[in-house]
Amino acid sequence: MNTKDIYKESPIVKRRKLISFFALSLSTAAAIFGLFWLVFILFDVLRHGIQGINWELFTEDPAPPGIPGGGLRNAFVGQLEIVFFATIMGVPLGILAGTFIAEYARGTKFAKTVSILSDIMVSVPSIVVGTFIYAILVKPIGHINLGGVVAVGFLSAIIAIIFGGILGFIVNKLFSIKNPATGRFINLLITLSSVLFGLFSFLYLMPKLVDKIQGFNGWAGAAALAFIMIPVVLRTTEDMLSLVPWTLREAAFALGASYFRVIKDIVYRAAATGILTGVILSISRVAGETAPLLFTSFNNSYFTMNMNEPIASLTVTIFNYAMGPYEDWHTKAWAASFVITFFILIVTILSRVIISWKYKG
Amino acid sequence: MKKIRKLPLSDLIFALISFSAAFVVLTLIFSTIIVLYNESSLAIHKFGILNFIFTVDWDPVNEVFGAAASLYGTLVTTVLSLILAIPLALGIAIFLTEISPHILKTPIGIAIEMLAAIPSIIYGMWGLFTLAPIMAEYVEPMLQKTLGQVPVIGILFQGDPQGIDLFTASVILAIMIVPFITSIARDSLNLTPNIMKESAYALGATKWEVVKDIMIPYAKLGIYGGIVLALGRALGETMAVAFVLGNNHQITTSLFDAAATITVTLANEFTEADTDIYLSSLFYLALILFVLSFVILAVAKFFLLKAERGYSR
């Protein structure tokens, strides 16, 4: 006997089932529609982009406007350079700040404030970041470049930290210090020398950079991208550090390790994959940013590696070429879009795979 | 957690360094608003606040600036893109949580999130070269023939469809913000306790009734958060809109007209601003955008935090 024959479906039940079927079909259609756009866009970028991909695109500089030929070597190199310096500035700062709020300041009001504010900053319009950097690093021409001074100070602080870290590492590897008093003394010496080193690099870099920078410059572009990276890296670091079980730290504390050692040798090691993935994701995020570069690093149709000058980037070049009147420019813009899109997609998918492999499997 | 009382020197140094890093991040955030205010103070003094917001003119030659046209464009594109994106995104989220076979959940979820990973400049270019012609050729004339004939809302669909207009920009924005709503809505829907769903099924509810009456009310706060977050994103989107909006400072009733948003105005005119008051007005626009998106994102964060607390109880 069929189950359907046990009771007769009342019209109300039939109607409810019909509504359910209809609504669920609609939501399936929504999913297909969403996927349709992704395929549409990617296929379109692929179709147009593949025509412009050739060896000259990477090895030659642009031809004069309107003349076919040439490549986008300047933009590729400029993009790499800007993103590289943005990473150098943004990643250490983000990781350190994330470490502070996840470890030393765990659970405090300060940590919560920084965390929530960075969460908001992750989504703040990137063009606003561009205007901010323009105001502090591009606009002040002639009179005192306060933003430049701050930026150089910031750069030398990072140099000092890296220097101190390397020095401490070398001293630790070369000598095994048993006496805690000597150890403390040597730590003090390392700190002092890295502070001095930072001061010297500040004094050395000041005239080299601040006075030379006139108007749009590559540093400003890198700073704008770093500004966008910092909250992303900070939040990932914080999340990844809080995933490390507290008992792991307690075990190390019980062995008499200082908190610094615990962070350095236990927590960082446990969270390394996660933090690295976050860094890679943040790089792929800023690699496609255009708006903050429009009026910081601007554009340059010539090849340059000098960050003190306006410097070409792929994204701004795409913008200018796509808006331009020449067919050849459009082809190049599509080719550049193709490269950038598939770079970002591959990096994003890879890091997602790494995360799910590390944290779920 | 207990505080460790005596810190060794290495700890002190590291704590100090990491604290200054956290402090620098805070300073950066606050200095953004201070610097933007400082740069726009010239325009704020000249035009005032309400006057600036409600002035439609944007006339660099006579040095009269008002934000109304840009704000109007921002408002229309954002609202329209939300109207288009919300049903689609919720539909996808429901599909991913309830309908999709288990094996397809992750690939489809990642694919939808890929939409968020595509750089906005790609959306812009694709919009200009591919979507705009399609819009001008097929979609917009069709809308004019159907919705354009309806008495009141017909005004929205007047004019000669060019494809470079508010409507195309909103469609692109909608595609861009769908993944934000989807991923948060999906995560919130997934948190519905199985026992609640099972109870509803036991009472004879259909799948849609479970989704509508159990899961969506349960995930309500998360979904609101996702929508407000998407709103904040749409507000500040620059490049995707810059290609297809035409930077036209006017308030039009038709969606088939070129317009300007705050972001488009900034992107197109920032490097061209030749007078102090022009530049200052642009900074003023940036300040308004910053404050607006900051507030909206804070609201989103508030919803999401509240939702999180609710679920963990």
Side-chain angles (χ1 to χ4, degrees):
Chain A
M1 195 176 168
N2 203 320
T3 31
K4 264 196 178 157
D5 301 332
I6 293 177
Y7 58 90
K8 253 193 127 77
E9 261 182 5
S10 70
I12 292 182
V13 172
K14 260 190 194 150
R15 213 176 123 247
R16 282 168 54 206
K17 280 194 172 166
L18 206 66
I19 289 176
S20 175
F21 177 76
F22 183 66
L24 297 182
S25 308
L26 266 186
S27 93
T28 309
I32 295 169
F33 194 51
L35 290 178
F36 159 76
W37 289 113
L38 179 75
V39 174
F40 188 7
I41 294 170
L42 289 185
F43 181 73
D44 219 40
V45 171
L46 185 77
R47 186 169 65 99
H48 287 104
I50 213 88
Q51 298 166 358
I53 298 279
N54 48 35
W55 192 240
E56 286 75 37
L57 188 76
F58 302 99
T59 54
E60 279 179 30
D61 288 333
I67 297 170
L72 294 173
R73 181 175 70 128
N74 61 338
F76 279 102
V77 172
Q79 179 86 24
L80 285 178
E81 210 173 345
I82 293 172
V83 172
F84 172 75
F85 280 106
T87 312
I88 286 201
M89 287 192 260
V91 169
L93 195 75
I95 290 183
L96 280 173
T99 308
F100 185 77
I101 60 171
E103 298 291 336
Y104 289 105
R106 180 178 281 224
T108 59
K109 276 242 168 67
F110 178 78
K112 268 189 202 127
T113 317
V114 176
S115 175
I116 289 176
L117 280 178
S118 335
D119 243 4
I120 293 174
M121 292 310 283
V122 169
S123 308
V124 147
S126 55
I127 195 154
V128 173
V129 175
T131 60
F132 168 65
I133 299 291
Y134 176 89
I136 61 168
L137 285 177
V138 179
K139 195 189 169 202
I141 310 166
H143 47 93
I144 305 164
N145 188 338
L146 195 68
V149 176
V150 172
V152 173
F154 176 61
L155 203 65
S156 10
I158 286 176
I159 291 173
I161 291 171
I162 293 172
F163 174 79
I166 292 172
L167 198 65
F169 181 75
I170 292 171
V171 169
N172 244 330
K173 280 272 135 125
L174 287 185
F175 316 101
S176 54
I177 298 139
K178 295 271 158 27
N179 189 347
T182 356
R184 239 172 278 155
F185 181 67
I186 286 177
N187 270 344
L188 193 69
L189 273 187
I190 292 174
T191 317
L192 278 181
S193 58
S194 59
V195 168
L196 275 180
F197 189 76
L199 269 179
F200 275 124
S201 54
F202 180 71
L203 291 176
Y204 176 76
L205 287 174
M206 256 325 265
K208 282 231 150 192
L209 291 177
V210 171
D211 296 347
K212 293 276 166 56
I213 296 172
Q214 293 279 312
F216 301 111
N217 60 81
W219 297 111
L225 294 190
F227 190 104
I228 295 168
M229 282 178 101
I230 288 167
V232 182
V233 177
L234 187 151
R235 291 287 298 121
T236 332
T237 309
E238 193 200 349
D239 285 347
M240 292 304 156
L241 292 189
S242 17
L243 280 180
V244 177
W246 187 250
T247 42
L248 210 59
R249 297 184 182 85
E250 275 172 357
F253 287 140
L255 293 174
S258 69
Y259 204 165
F260 170 59
R261 277 208 86 107
V262 174
I263 291 173
K264 179 167 71 82
D265 293 338
I266 311 286
V267 181
Y268 274 169
R269 215 162 273 194
T273 322
I275 296 178
L276 192 71
T277 321
V279 168
I280 294 172
L281 275 179
S282 74
I283 293 175
S284 82
R285 155 108 203 258
V286 297
E289 283 289 354
T290 316
L293 297 178
L294 283 175
F295 26 85
T296 50
S297 61
F298 201 56
N299 200 358
N300 196 336
S301 36
Y302 301 101
F303 178 81
T304 179
M305 302 248 321
N306 186 355
M307 292 281 282
N308 293 348
E309 289 174 9
I311 196 165
S313 57
L314 267 186
T315 46
V316 177
T317 308
I318 293 174
F319 183 53
N320 288 341
Y321 274 28
M323 291 297 222
Y326 311 108
E327 198 52 48
D328 185 51
W329 275 16
H330 295 173
T331 317
K332 289 216 166 53
W334 278 113
S337 308
F338 171 76
V339 173
I340 220 164
T341 310
F342 284 87
F343 166 76
I344 288 173
L345 287 189
I346 288 167
V347 167
T348 315
I349 291 174
L350 266 185
S351 41
R352 289 193 137 269
V353 168
I354 291 174
I355 283 200
S356 62
W357 161 72
K358 175 84 182 165
Y359 288 95
K360 275 163 208 156
Chain B
M1 171 212 151
K2 249 189 180 174
K3 280 264 147 67
I4 297 107
R5 285 267 165 246
K6 260 196 180 168
L7 291 168
L9 190 64
S10 59
D11 245 351
L12 266 182
I13 295 163
F14 189 63
L16 200 71
I17 290 174
S18 57
F19 168 73
S20 29
F23 188 74
V24 165
V25 174
L26 260 193
T27 322
L28 273 176
I29 295 169
F30 285 116
S31 57
T32 307
I33 199 155
I34 293 169
V35 165
L36 287 182
Y37 177 79
N38 192 26
E39 294 293 328
S40 51
S41 59
L42 192 65
I44 293 175
H45 285 302
K46 190 166 176 199
F47 304 119
I49 294 171
L50 285 180
N51 188 26
F52 187 69
I53 290 175
F54 290 109
T55 304
V56 183
D57 298 334
W58 184 267
D59 186 356
V61 180
N62 298 320
E63 301 196 340
V64 177
F65 299 101
S70 298
L71 269 172
Y72 175 79
T74 303
L75 199 75
V76 171
T77 49
T78 310
V79 170
L80 192 58
S81 65
L82 277 180
I83 291 174
L84 295 173
I86 291 173
L88 184 62
L90 289 183
I92 298 174
I94 292 168
F95 175 80
L96 285 175
T97 45
E98 284 301 295
I99 304 167
S100 160
H102 190 71
I103 197 161
L104 284 179
K105 274 183 187 170
T106 320
I108 294 181
I110 290 183
I112 295 295
E113 277 169 37
M114 281 302 111
L115 280 174
I118 297 176
S120 59
I121 181 123
I122 309 295
Y123 277 103
M125 231 182 110
W126 173 79
L128 178 67
F129 290 122
T130 305
L131 188 64
I134 294 176
M135 285 299 208
E137 196 82 10
Y138 306 105
V139 181
E140 290 176 356
M142 198 192 78
L143 280 174
Q144 276 185 330
K145 276 189 202 117
T146 52
L147 285 172
Q149 307 303 321
V150 182
V152 181
I153 53 172
I155 314 167
L156 296 174
F157 303 98
Q158 298 304 313
D160 182 26
Q162 297 287 327
I164 306 292
D165 51 35
L166 285 165
F167 187 68
T168 310
S170 309
V171 169
I172 294 179
L173 271 183
I175 302 172
M176 292 184 76
I177 60 176
V178 157
F180 292 101
I181 309 178
T182 299
S183 72
I184 294 179
R186 183 197 54 191
D187 292 347
S188 312
L189 288 173
N190 266 335
L191 287 173
T192 319
N194 269 334
I195 196 148
M196 281 169 78
K197 285 195 269 177
E198 282 159 10
S199 317
Y201 280 127
L203 290 173
T206 60
K207 202 168 215 177
W208 167 245
E209 284 163 355
V210 172
V211 170
K212 174 172 66 92
D213 296 330
I214 309 291
M215 298 177 71
I216 289 182
Y218 192 83
K220 195 173 55 187
L221 283 174
I223 294 174
Y224 287 161
I227 290 172
V228 182
L229 183 75
L231 171 70
R233 284 277 175 161
L235 209 62
E237 188 43 61
T238 311
M239 301 319 293
V241 186
F243 279 99
V244 290
L245 205 50
N247 195 28
N248 184 7
H249 288 279
Q250 58 176 6
I251 291 183
T252 59
T253 48
S254 172
L255 296 176
F256 296 162
D257 267 326
T261 65
I262 296 181
T263 52
V264 171
T265 310
L266 287 173
N268 280 319
E269 300 183 17
F270 210 87
T271 51
E272 288 164 9
D274 40 8
T275 56
D276 283 347
I277 187 74
Y278 192 3
L279 192 62
S280 182
S281 303
L282 286 169
F283 270 113
Y284 199 0
L285 279 183
L287 179 71
I288 291 175
L289 180 64
F290 183 69
V291 172
L292 214 60
S293 57
F294 199 91
V295 170
I296 286 172
L297 293 168
V299 171
K301 187 71 198 155
F302 169 77
F303 274 126
L304 291 175
L305 277 180
K306 213 172 151 194
E308 216 170 84
R309 239 174 274 142
Y311 298 138
S312 64
R313 231 187 288 127

